[in-house]
Amino acid sequence: MNNKIRCMIVALLATLVLNTATLRAQYPVKKTIQDARRKVVKVYGAGGLGGLEAYQSGFLVSPEGHIATAWSYVLDVDPVVILDDGRRFEAEVVGFEPQLELAVLKIEAGDLPYFAIREVPPTQAGQPVLAISNLFNIATGREPASVMQGYVAGVAELDARSGVFKSAYQGEVLILDLVANNPGAAGGALVTRAGELVGMLGKELRDARSGAWLNYALPATTLRPRLLAIVSGEAIVEPPKTELLARDKSHNFETLGLLMVPNVLDQTPAYVDAVVPKSPADAAGLRPDDLILLVGKVRIENQDRLLEQLRSIDRRDPVPIVLQRGSEILSLRLVR
Amino acid sequence: MRQNNQSPRPGRRFITPFFAGFGLAVAVAASLSPGVANAQDAEYAAIQQAIQQTAGAVVQIETIGASASQGELTLGAPISGTRIDDQGHVLTSLWGLEETPASILIVEADGSRQPAELVARDFSRELVLLKTKPSGSANHVALQRSEKVRVGQWAIAVGRGIAPETPSVSIGIVSATGRMYGRAVQIDARISPSFYGGPVVDIEGEMIGISVPMKPEAGSAGEKSDWYDSGIAFVVSAEAIASRIDQMKAGKDIRAGKLGIVPASKMPFSDDRTLSAVLALSPAKRAGIQADDELLAIDGEAVRWNADIKQLLGPRDAGEVLKIKVLRDEKELEFEVELAADIPAFRPRVLGVLADPQGESLEITHIFDDSAAAKAKLQIGDTIQAIDGNKIDDIDRARLLVMTHPPGEDLDLTVLRDGKPLDVRCDLQSTPDTVVAELPELKDPIGEEAWEIVPRSLPDVSNTSRLLKPKGDARPSLGLLVLLARPGTEKLEPLAEAWRSEAAEHQIAVLVIGAAETDRWKPAESDVIVRLIQQAQKAINVEPQQVVVAGYGAGSEMSMMVAMRNRELIRGAVAAAGSRPGGFALSENDPASPLQFLVVGGDEMPIWGRMIANVGFPVLQAPSSEKEPLADDPKIQDTVGRWIRSLDRI
């Protein structure tokens, strides 16, 4: 290649690089970040002992100072809120939604920048997002919160009943592919590159099955009706709690006529050892050596989990079971 | 921003790589036009496209009846799997499938389950091949790539471990190729265990490979999942899989190929390519490779540094035949070697002599009773000059040649006695299972009163420690006993004080370390302990062969884990017979960094003691009373002291 052409190519490449660089400068994300950071606040409250951090994050949801944040021990005392410009306010808790682990604080201020609580299209895997929070309390005083970028990894059910996540919240969450849930991040905002609020960062949570730390946010679509209700001053109703039924009201191995293999391991698979003749299990066609995989939609990892699930079903109701027999998967209903 | 509201529909492969490339071209063009938002849209669309193309081939893998802990994580949670053909073959990660569970299930996007059988495992690359009924659908990934993986290109990991009905993704770039000794591509996407076994594709939807957790060496200590979600993740390349898939489909397990050589240098970038030992019963031994050979090339690839050896052997499987070129007596020789899956466990052999590690020559300073050396009538004052014809003037080399000497073969020594060379033939022994009773007098003993206890700490952790060491600036050579306190111990001083007379008796510094929490030692504190040991090594002159860890209560289990995971630093661990060690992968004793155990308390050898003895670790036992043996049993303390001093014997 002669030198002249080489120079031209280098020059052309340089222009391309310069072009992209100048374009980068006008990247709308920059404005998104500027605006969104002004709406994220730092919340300080109880804690500070035994490894519990006394801080978390929140974001403004009304111009007159309503702040959405995570419901946690930090709010056991009246919290202090610090805005991105360093202004400090005593805040009071004006509402909470235990089921969503959502709390709303109120500070006495006006004309504040805020995230409008409006309908957003459903978020899906691969959506680029920005997570804005005061993780690790890095931002102090007048410093705005920290911004991280990543993608929505997926949408999944947090179902405490299936024992997957030990969390009060049950429902859909956005799983994130960035390490967003660190101490202090709970209550932070998750926004699109266009600045649309799509979620609130959750508390630190481990996946109860694998023990892996989870990075997730509560979707704005779930928070929206409750936030609107609290901001407009509606009363809060405690949700009913699902619990095990009384022993004489619920199912167990005897009511169904199941004899299981001895439960000797801490993870004994739910193998059927024998079936009592003329019992519901017999009538449904269960056989020795069947491996019970699911009760309803709940995965049965071991015999203890099976008993726990049966204990939450009323004796008068049928028990839907999915099992493995050799290389077949069968669905059966056990009816008393 | 334009929203793409169509959720990925599994099973639609309506886009060819050619079009995906076209899409990327559009993205690039768009990024150079003033409509910058379009560039983001194009990028987003391309990512969505790649996900849609791949998601249909991704399934969830459920296991029933497999549960064990791996460091902080528990096995048995669902992971991901990747269909690779329409005959029902699914690749997944070995994570949780090292043992065969009661049942393996493949969960489809519609929630339906089918049982899968395990066809074969690749233990080197952490992969498992499963087979289930042919799906009938054309949903599978192709293991071929149109071009090589490049650092910096998009890497999109797809999984179904979180929920079977919707694919999950994690997006990053390729960070490096040829990682983990040539076995993996590294990406910076955050990969948590739910992604293991799922595919990683580029922005055109072409396979980069399969996500797996990986450690530098199969079977080495430490947890392979330690790096989950850290921005360091590993992918077995589609190419490496494609070249082995027929073997796996035929039901043949794949294991890392072992050669059985011990390089002389421990420094990765040393240009010393000499072999200091060749393991008994190893492929290298059988082929005729010898200690002192200089390794020039492996299968035609030049070995320039020590690090090249692992890099070149890392991706090789057992059963592969390699050409090894060495330099011996200034002649180049080439050997053909078939790599083995296993080399019989290395069990250290001993001659039974001590020599001054700092000495000019290898002069024997002590001969243990009943040892091979005593039987061969070696004498104190003899100077070792050659072992099996190899000239020796370095104690570590001598120890290694003796340690790795084949069982059942005599060792030929040349010693200098009264100025004359003398050939002596010795019948070596295995490491004795009792601690030596007699030791030579110390040259310059330091009295008890001349030892002091000083606090030590690290700036960024809450663990505190105390070091019992000789006063003053003289730097005598010392052993080092690291004692891990029972969690919740408030004062460390008395623990160090209790060892004062023993420390003076055997010249052993004692480092007592407290746990960060009051109720347990956390596996992660292993690094803190290592750093405190390294800090102590800077302050005092520690004999590298005499670094031993021990502990009280939960500290006992911790000490075994720390020893197993940090063998380049630690030579011995003392464990209470009643402890229940865990938290480490049981891998074989390694002659390059050999480790021994001393079990104290109880009269019976615990089951785990027999287990670690089986893989080649010498396990000695010192029976003792019901008391806390390391705290208030002077007899045991003396045994520990003598054991530490005997660790640098040849």
Side-chain angles (χ1 to χ4, degrees):
Chain A
M1 198 187 314
N2 75 34
N3 272 344
K4 199 166 166 187
I5 294 181
R6 192 174 299 167
C7 281
M8 275 173 64
I9 288 178
V10 169
L12 185 66
L13 280 176
T15 343
L16 286 185
V17 171
L18 279 176
N19 270 347
T20 41
T22 45
L23 287 170
R24 255 321 124 67
Q26 322 153 0
Y27 210 53
V29 167
K30 192 173 165 188
K31 177 143 176 36
T32 295
I33 291 174
Q34 270 175 353
D35 291 349
R37 281 169 107 188
R38 296 182 50 217
K39 305 169 187 173
V40 174
V41 306
K42 303 181 276 275
V43 179
Y44 295 92
L49 291 171
L52 295 174
E53 291 77 20
Y55 55 88
Q56 60 188 41
S57 308
F59 52 88
L60 288 151
V61 290
S62 79
E64 53 283 346
H66 287 93
I67 292 161
T69 186
W71 174 253
S72 77
Y73 64 86
V74 172
L75 309 179
D76 288 352
V77 296
D78 278 344
V80 168
V81 164
I82 299 191
L83 302 186
D84 75 306
D85 58 9
R87 281 190 289 164
R88 183 178 181 283
F89 293 89
E90 305 278 330
E92 61 168 332
V93 181
V94 293
F96 74 97
E97 176 61 77
Q99 227 182 336
L100 300 182
E101 297 196 303
L102 163 75
V104 177
L105 313 178
K106 174 82 175 68
I107 57 174
E108 289 310 317
D111 208 14
L112 296 165
Y114 66 100
F115 287 112
I117 313 167
R118 55 174 170 247
E119 284 283 5
V120 285
T123 316
Q124 58 175 15
Q127 158 98 47
V129 284
L130 299 164
I132 308 166
S133 77
N134 188 19
L135 73 166
F136 293 115
N137 198 23
I138 295 169
T140 53
R142 291 185 50 186
E143 296 175 355
S146 309
V147 183
M148 296 167 87
Q149 82 125 29
Y151 295 83
V152 172
V155 182
E157 286 281 327
L158 273 198
D159 186 347
R161 282 167 314 154
S162 68
V164 176
F165 304 106
K166 294 190 172 92
S167 123
Y169 172 74
Q170 293 176 31
E172 267 195 355
V173 291
L174 309 176
I175 306 281
L176 308 176
D177 86 340
L178 66 158
V179 184
N181 301 58
N182 272 306
L190 187 75
V191 303
T192 63
R193 287 184 183 171
E196 204 63 74
L197 181 82
V198 287
M200 176 173 89
L201 298 179
K203 298 179 189 177
E204 288 181 274
L205 195 59
R206 279 181 189 265
D207 180 330
R209 296 169 304 183
S210 69
W213 289 105
L214 205 63
N215 293 293
Y216 70 105
L218 280 68
T221 42
T222 311
L223 298 174
R224 193 173 153 270
R226 300 312 310 161
L227 270 176
L228 286 171
I230 297 171
V231 171
S232 61
E234 242 184 62
I236 304 297
V237 187
E238 287 261 4
K241 283 211 163 55
T242 50
E243 274 177 14
L244 296 185
L245 303 170
R247 279 180 200 281
D248 58 351
K249 298 253 186 327
S250 66
H251 277 293
N252 56 41
F253 298 153
E254 289 75 29
T255 60
L256 299 171
L258 283 172
L259 293 164
M260 306 301 289
V261 297
N263 191 358
V264 287
L265 310 169
D266 60 354
Q267 291 287 343
T268 308
Y271 279 113
V272 176
D273 204 18
V275 175
V276 177
K278 301 201 172 77
S279 66
D282 189 29
L286 259 90
R287 294 187 204 158
D289 292 336
D290 284 350
L291 176 62
I292 296 177
L293 303 174
L294 300 174
V295 171
K297 290 199 161 173
V298 177
R299 205 173 141 241
I300 304 298
E301 294 105 335
N302 55 47
Q303 214 179 98
D304 297 344
R305 160 84 64 222
L306 173 62
L307 189 55
E308 194 180 308
Q309 280 314 308
L310 295 178
R311 288 280 324 277
S312 68
I313 301 173
D314 192 304
R315 267 184 207 193
R316 293 163 299 185
D317 293 338
V319 180
I321 282 182
V322 173
L323 59 86
Q324 181 177 354
R325 179 177 296 160
S327 64
E328 286 179 289
I329 303 282
L330 305 170
S331 293
L332 306 173
R333 278 163 69 87
L334 279 57
V335 189
R336 279 194 82 202
Chain B
M1 171 150 190
R2 193 173 57 82
Q3 282 288 341
N4 183 346
N5 284 332
Q6 277 203 311
S7 62
R9 286 228 303 270
R12 291 182 56 193
R13 294 176 62 85
F14 54 81
I15 182 159
T16 63
F18 165 78
F19 274 112
F22 180 71
L24 189 68
V26 169
V28 171
S31 72
L32 299 175
S33 73
V36 183
N38 293 344
Q40 284 170 29
D41 278 0
E43 175 191 296
Y44 179 51
I47 289 173
Q48 286 298 335
Q49 197 76 273
I51 297 169
Q52 288 200 25
Q53 242 176 280
T54 313
V58 186
V59 294
Q60 184 178 82
I61 306 289
E62 258 185 358
T63 53
I64 306 285
S67 182
S69 71
Q70 282 262 356
E72 282 203 340
L73 301 182
T74 312
L75 300 176
I79 57 172
S80 303
T82 309
R83 289 189 182 281
I84 52 164
D85 59 23
D86 50 12
Q87 283 117 57
H89 284 106
V90 174
L91 271 175
T92 185
S93 151
L94 191 59
W95 172 253
L97 292 170
E98 288 94 343
E99 308 289 325
T100 308
S103 168
I104 305 171
L105 298 163
I106 290 191
V107 190
E108 302 283 352
D110 62 7
S112 65
R113 286 171 166 76
Q114 9 172 356
E117 59 181 78
L118 200 150
V119 181
R121 296 180 177 99
D122 179 342
F123 290 96
S124 174
R125 289 166 201 77
E126 304 282 342
L127 289 173
V128 175
L129 183 66
L130 304 173
K131 178 136 180 15
T132 179
K133 288 198 191 91
S135 62
S137 83
N139 266 314
H140 59 267
V141 296
L143 291 171
Q144 286 73 37
R145 285 190 61 77
S146 49
E147 50 181 19
K148 273 203 162 341
V149 171
R150 299 180 317 275
V151 172
Q153 76 182 120
W154 287 97
I156 302 162
V158 186
R160 280 193 196 272
I162 299 174
E165 53 281 351
T166 49
S168 41
V169 299
S170 185
I171 297 166
I173 60 166
V174 172
S175 309
T177 55
R179 283 284 196 248
M180 297 274 136
Y181 301 123
R183 290 175 304 146
V185 172
Q186 185 187 327
I187 62 174
D188 79 344
R190 270 69 50 162
I191 298 295
S192 65
S194 69
F195 282 95
Y196 295 158
V200 176
V201 296
D202 60 22
I203 201 147
E204 298 175 22
E206 280 203 359
M207 268 286 275
I208 293 175
I210 302 275
S211 290
V212 293
M214 213 180 243
K215 292 181 297 189
E217 284 160 274
S220 64
E223 302 298 349
K224 56 190 180 188
S225 58
D226 274 354
W227 281 336
Y228 85 90
D229 265 356
S230 66
I232 297 171
F234 300 104
V235 180
V236 178
S237 75
E239 193 184 5
I241 296 168
S243 64
R244 293 168 175 84
I245 200 70
D246 290 341
Q247 258 193 81
M248 289 182 83
K249 283 181 180 174
K252 286 224 287 269
D253 281 353
I254 295 171
R255 289 175 190 275
K258 291 180 180 166
L259 181 57
I261 53 173
V262 183
S265 173
K266 293 245 194 312
M267 300 292 161
F269 293 103
S270 155
D271 55 7
D272 177 4
R273 301 169 296 182
T274 319
L275 303 180
S276 57
V278 176
L279 293 188
L281 311 173
S282 69
K285 188 93 188 171
R286 277 195 295 272
I289 298 170
Q290 299 174 3
D292 260 1
D293 285 351
E294 191 178 348
L295 192 53
L296 299 181
I298 295 174
D299 239 15
E301 300 265 355
V303 173
R304 294 154 304 164
W305 298 300
N306 182 15
D308 289 343
I309 300 175
K310 276 185 176 171
Q311 196 69 28
L312 292 170
L313 291 174
R316 303 307 197 126
D317 300 337
E320 282 190 56
V321 177
L322 308 182
K323 289 195 167 60
I324 306 280
K325 191 189 281 180
V326 303
L327 189 68
R328 183 185 302 164
D329 304 328
E330 295 173 23
K331 281 200 281 293
E332 284 192 9
L333 304 170
E334 188 154 69
F335 299 96
E336 217 168 64
V337 188
E338 182 179 331
L339 298 179
D342 282 303
I343 295 171
F346 145 78
R347 295 172 194 281
R349 323 279 300 154
V350 290
L351 179 60
V353 302
L354 290 178
D356 180 2
Q358 268 84 32
E360 287 291 302
S361 62
L362 267 181
E363 187 183 325
I364 295 176
T365 56
H366 182 76
I367 298 177
F368 291 109
D369 292 345
D370 302 325
S371 64
K375 289 186 180 118
K377 306 252 185 316
L378 285 172
Q379 296 175 10
I380 291 179
D382 288 352
T383 302
I384 299 174
Q385 290 198 304
I387 295 179
D388 285 334
N390 300 298
K391 281 180 80 77
I392 301 286
D393 53 4
D394 161 357
I395 189 167
D396 292 334
R397 243 342 276 292
R399 191 181 300 111
L400 192 61
L401 282 176
V402 169
M403 256 193 326
T404 55
H405 196 76
E409 288 180 28
D410 286 345
L411 179 95
D412 291 319
L413 274 185
T414 308
V415 298
L416 200 63
R417 184 179 295 170
D418 307 326
K420 294 191 201 68
L422 179 73
D423 288 336
V424 185
R425 182 158 277 204
C426 313
D427 177 7
L428 293 180
Q429 304 166 310
S430 301
T431 309
D433 50 11
T434 50
V435 177
V436 297
E438 289 298 314
L439 281 160
E441 290 287 311
L442 289 168
K443 270 198 297 211
D444 311 301
I446 303 162
E448 262 182 59
E449 64 294 338
W451 290 67
E452 61 178 352
I453 297 175
V454 293
R456 317 280 303 175
S457 62
L458 294 167
D460 55 340
V461 295
S462 59
N463 305 65
T464 56
S465 73
R466 296 283 181 281
L467 178 64
L468 172 67
K469 67 173 193 52
K471 291 177 188 165
D473 298 333
R475 289 172 60 93
S477 165
L478 302 165
L480 177 65
L481 171 62
V482 181
L483 289 171
L484 305 182
R486 189 186 297 277
T489 304
E490 289 190 4
K491 290 199 162 54
L492 302 179
E493 204 92 11
L495 294 181
E497 188 54 51
W499 283 83
R500 182 182 285 268
S501 68
E502 213 48 55
E505 165 94 17
H506 294 297
Q507 290 210 61
I508 295 168
V510 179
L511 177 65
V512 184
I513 305 177
E517 297 188 12
T518 56
D519 59 343
R520 60 191 182 131
W521 276 98
K522 292 203 305 284
E525 286 174 275
S526 175
D527 292 348
V528 175
I529 294 161
V530 167
R531 287 168 57 204
L532 283 162
I533 295 173
Q534 288 167 333
Q535 187 196 49
Q537 285 175 320
K538 290 196 181 87
I540 53 177
N541 181 11
V542 176
E543 174 53 45
Q545 296 300 325
Q546 298 184 0
V547 179
V548 167
V549 285
Y552 304 99
S556 181
E557 277 116 26
M558 185 70 186
S559 69
M560 288 195 57
M561 193 188 88
V562 172
M564 279 285 193
R565 285 188 177 192
N566 300 284
R567 297 190 207 168
E568 63 296 336
L569 184 71
I570 293 162
R571 290 286 154 269
V574 186
S579 59
R580 301 179 54 179
F584 52 82
L586 188 59
S587 54
E588 294 175 351
N589 203 1
D590 176 0
S593 46
L595 181 62
Q596 301 192 19
F597 292 89
L598 175 65
V599 178
V600 295
D603 305 319
E604 289 273 304
M605 176 60 78
I607 290 172
W608 54 258
R610 290 202 289 272
M611 277 170 62
I612 51 182
N614 275 343
V615 288
F617 297 97
V619 183
L620 287 66
Q621 188 163 23
S624 80
S625 57
E626 290 300 296
K627 291 183 288 190
E628 171 82 77
L630 292 174
D632 44 24
D633 188 339
K635 275 217 325 257
I636 289 288
Q637 289 189 321
D638 182 54
T639 308
V640 171
R642 279 183 282 118
W643 180 62
I644 295 175
R645 277 194 58 200
S646 70
L647 287 178
D648 63 357
R649 78 178 135 205
I650 301 173

